[in-house]
Amino acid sequence: MLTPALNNAAVAGKVRATIQNTRSWLPRFDRIGDLVAYMDRFQGTADTEVYKGLKSVGLKTFEDIHDEFMAKFGKFASERTRLDDFVVGQRYTSSQLVIFAELYDNRSGGILLIGNPPKPQAVFVKATFSGGKYPNKWISEPDRLKYYLKSRNAVFSETYIENAAIIKNPDLPVFVFHRLEERQPFTFAGQFRAERVVSEADGSKWFDLVQSSVISPTNRVDEGELRRTFAQKVANAVQTSREARLNRLKSAPKRPPTVATTAIAYLRNPDVVAEVLYRSQGVCEGCGMNAPFDRKSDGSPYLEVHHKMHLSEGGEDTVENAIAICPNCHRREHFGTRTWQ
Ligand SMILES: [Zn+2]
Ligand SMILES: [Zn+2]
């Protein structure tokens, strides 16, 4: 349906460009329900230039196939991406975010409203930390962000729909997606809240976005991200003055809050582990010392099987890429100087 239109010289160039754009979006849908929502838009739009352009040369349009499409796929309409499908620490393309916001246009700007103004369900902000006159940046990574209001020609009006939605709904969850440079995918940093709007002398304005809390039950956190974030927070805590730290400790909760996590795990080959343990004969392949103790379960020497090139780096789960090492050598390999890679 799209190809004949693209190949038909009688179809105006502008119309063909729109169709080309539409075709480029179709493969980017992750769930049928999202595609159904997209197709649903081509209902009652018969007065558009594209519709008339295609009709005038006798071609079919999205409007024409709408009913047939819905008869086939409408039953999957509920199979859609949801807000709580977004996992902290995972990466998302700009297209995925724009599809979720039902905008289908990568030039829609950095603030995407989810649901209808003036009372949207949430807002997505896309932060790029380089380029532009007003680069967004962490005030403290990863829980406080300086994020410029939507602007047009250097006017940061609080009445622009996107800005107003955030300002007028102080409890609106602000989903922060960030990346270092253009063209990279975004990493989801979690749900934030706009604490205040700060006006600068040059007329620019920015939101002070503060992370709501990782304990929100709908905020599922990726385990790797949780580990990295915690390491970052420890580094920050080490750097603050001891006095400030002791003060914080005084009023800190004694029982830590919990959070639901998600993780991607590798389904490792047990034969690789068994074979590498056999090869080691109970001697650490790192330092050459005997295993430090025997396993309570079966009395075998306790060594850990490690991948020289980590699986997360694309390393293979093979006997050749694996070694049996003692817990000390294993920790050093991950947190100290690496012997293998
Ligand atoms: Zn060792
Ligand atoms: Zn390891």
Side-chain angles (χ1 to χ4, degrees):
M1 180 192 97
L2 295 171
T3 311
L6 289 170
N7 292 338
N8 192 326
V11 176
K14 203 175 150 197
V15 172
R16 278 214 302 271
T18 307
I19 293 169
Q20 182 67 52
N21 180 50
T22 304
R23 184 160 81 167
S24 75
W25 277 97
L26 293 181
R28 299 183 215 176
F29 287 80
D30 295 330
R31 291 195 169 89
I32 295 184
D34 296 335
L35 182 59
V36 169
Y38 176 70
M39 290 298 291
D40 225 5
R41 290 154 51 92
F42 297 98
Q43 186 66 318
T45 50
D47 56 344
T48 63
E49 204 175 334
V50 174
Y51 183 89
K52 290 181 199 153
L54 291 176
K55 277 295 171 200
S56 66
V57 293
L59 288 169
K60 273 193 173 181
T61 68
F62 271 151
E63 292 82 345
D64 293 332
I65 64 158
H66 181 271
D67 290 348
E68 189 190 337
F69 179 89
M70 288 302 166
K72 262 195 191 142
F73 299 107
K75 58 176 177 282
F76 300 112
S78 65
E79 222 177 87
R80 301 197 58 178
T81 310
R82 294 169 205 290
L83 263 183
D84 58 10
D85 286 331
F86 291 91
V87 173
V88 174
Q90 276 187 13
R91 292 181 163 204
Y92 300 92
T93 62
S94 185
S95 302
Q96 286 175 304
L97 304 181
V98 166
I99 285 173
F100 187 75
E102 298 181 30
L103 293 167
Y104 316 109
D105 183 349
N106 274 323
R107 296 156 304 177
S108 330
I111 304 179
L112 312 175
L113 299 183
I114 309 301
N116 299 324
K119 199 118 187 54
Q121 192 189 354
V123 59
F124 283 7
V125 305
K126 301 191 288 177
T128 304
F129 296 129
S130 66
K133 194 172 169 209
Y134 303 101
N136 304 304
K137 63 176 202 184
W138 290 114
I139 296 170
S140 69
E141 189 176 0
D143 46 30
R144 202 163 156 211
L145 180 71
K146 171 179 183 174
Y147 189 84
Y148 283 95
L149 274 67
K150 182 195 177 96
S151 64
R152 292 194 192 105
N153 304 316
V155 177
F156 294 76
S157 172
E158 297 186 18
T159 62
Y160 294 155
I161 296 172
E162 291 86 351
N163 298 336
I166 298 175
I167 293 164
K168 297 212 171 115
N169 304 290
D171 292 326
L172 188 69
V174 178
F175 285 56
V176 169
F177 296 85
H178 62 96
R179 64 180 174 187
L180 290 178
E181 283 166 48
E182 297 287 340
R183 272 182 259 284
Q184 291 176 332
F186 291 91
T187 301
F188 179 39
Q191 295 184 31
F192 287 58
R193 224 181 31 247
E195 286 284 302
R196 58 190 179 132
V197 172
V198 180
S199 304
E200 299 286 357
D202 66 358
S204 65
K205 292 181 188 177
W206 48 275
F207 290 113
D208 185 354
L209 299 180
V210 179
Q211 189 162 43
S212 302
S213 163
V214 287
I215 59 172
S216 150
T218 58
N219 230 352
R220 290 187 300 148
V221 181
D222 178 75
E223 277 197 17
E225 177 67 8
L226 194 65
R227 223 173 21 245
R228 284 188 293 276
T229 303
F230 184 65
Q232 177 70 46
K233 286 180 174 171
V234 170
N236 293 346
V238 167
Q239 271 175 18
T240 54
S241 77
R242 176 143 192 261
E243 192 190 353
R245 190 164 58 237
L246 290 176
N247 254 328
R248 285 199 302 271
L249 280 169
K250 258 185 235 156
S251 57
K254 290 201 171 68
R255 290 176 204 283
T258 58
V259 62
T261 64
T262 65
I264 299 295
Y266 295 95
L267 300 173
R268 294 171 55 179
N269 183 349
D271 284 332
V272 169
V273 175
E275 181 59 23
V276 170
L277 287 174
Y278 172 80
R279 183 181 69 198
S280 74
Q281 291 296 308
V283 175
C284 171
E285 293 180 308
C287 62
M289 308 271 280
N290 283 332
F293 59 88
D294 292 337
R295 276 177 202 274
K296 189 163 72 179
S297 54
D298 61 1
S300 66
Y302 181 85
L303 291 173
E304 296 170 355
V305 175
H306 166 78
H307 292 87
K308 294 192 253 186
M309 184 193 270
H310 301 177
L311 295 176
S312 61
E313 298 167 343
E316 293 179 344
D317 188 25
T318 57
V319 171
E320 294 71 34
N321 189 44
I323 41 169
I325 50 181
C326 71
N328 263 353
C329 285
H330 197 189
R331 289 277 130 172
R332 189 187 57 243
E333 213 48 32
H334 282 272
F335 298 99
T337 312
R338 276 171 80 165
T339 310
W340 299 274
Q341 24 212 331

